Amino acid sequence: KVRPEGETVGRIFPEKAGDLRLTSRTAVVGDVRQGHRRQTSVIAYNAGRDTLSLSFELADKRFVVVADSADVAPGDLTSISVVFQTDSADETGRADTQIAVKANGRSMGVITATAQVVAAFLWSSIRRIVRVRSRSMWLCIPTREPHSCR
């Protein structure tokens, strides 16, 4: 295993959260189509002297947070995965939540997770339509229906 040391830790993991050092306090999931899911991650480094047992609390149930290793030994790393799952009926727009990070039952601060729910209209629908009507030019308008063309 390669373990960062000294000032390298500060450059790679600039965010302090108790004994944890994080690559970022923000987990940007990005655009997620209605009815789909997407994942991002934040890497955490245990800069302390004790093994840390990580747990997470959050309000928005569309976000799920899991650490690759819930128990992080001193000097070890873990990846904190943030998954955002939308329902096909979810409204489009921004979704944010605060993820409370705890280690050995103590608060280590929060990670802010953000995602953008976008319409489920797919470019593959346009390709499928274009294949069917390759000699005609249709204007395809995204709606809540699978597709609408004129």
Side-chain angles (χ1 to χ4, degrees):
K1 285 184 176 179
V2 176
R3 293 182 178 186
E5 292 183 10
E7 67 182 62
T8 302
V9 170
R11 282 196 314 264
I12 297 172
F13 306 99
E15 300 293 333
K16 292 181 182 180
D19 286 340
L20 284 177
R21 299 290 301 242
L22 306 170
T23 52
S24 177
R25 283 191 177 273
T26 306
V28 179
V29 177
D31 291 349
V32 185
R33 290 189 319 248
Q34 292 165 317
H36 291 81
R37 72 182 198 158
R38 192 164 178 192
Q39 174 179 325
T40 191
S41 62
V42 172
I43 308 299
Y45 171 76
N46 181 352
R49 296 180 183 186
D50 298 320
T51 296
L52 300 176
S53 294
L54 302 181
S55 62
F56 309 97
E57 294 177 4
L58 59 154
D60 191 331
K61 299 303 177 194
R62 296 175 297 174
F63 286 92
V64 176
V65 182
V66 178
D68 284 347
S69 174
D71 294 324
V72 188
D76 276 354
L77 308 168
T78 191
S79 177
I80 300 171
S81 297
V82 178
V83 179
F84 182 74
Q85 172 75 50
T86 69
D87 185 86
S88 59
D90 277 350
E91 292 289 323
T92 58
R94 188 170 167 155
D96 299 297
T97 194
Q98 298 289 310
I99 302 165
V101 180
K102 293 187 174 188
N104 301 339
R106 295 185 330 263
S107 176
M108 295 286 124
V110 298
I111 295 172
T112 300
T114 184
Q116 183 74 28
V117 179
V118 296
F121 181 77
L122 305 174
W123 285 106
S124 61
S125 298
I126 293 175
R127 280 190 235 113
R128 189 169 46 248
I129 294 165
V130 170
R131 280 191 207 118
V132 172
R133 297 289 292 177
S134 61
R135 302 215 187 263
S136 300
M137 181 150 182
W138 285 5
L139 172 62
C140 293
I141 304 165
T143 65
R144 291 206 182 270
E145 311 303 319
H147 60 267
S148 174
C149 294
R150 297 183 183 131

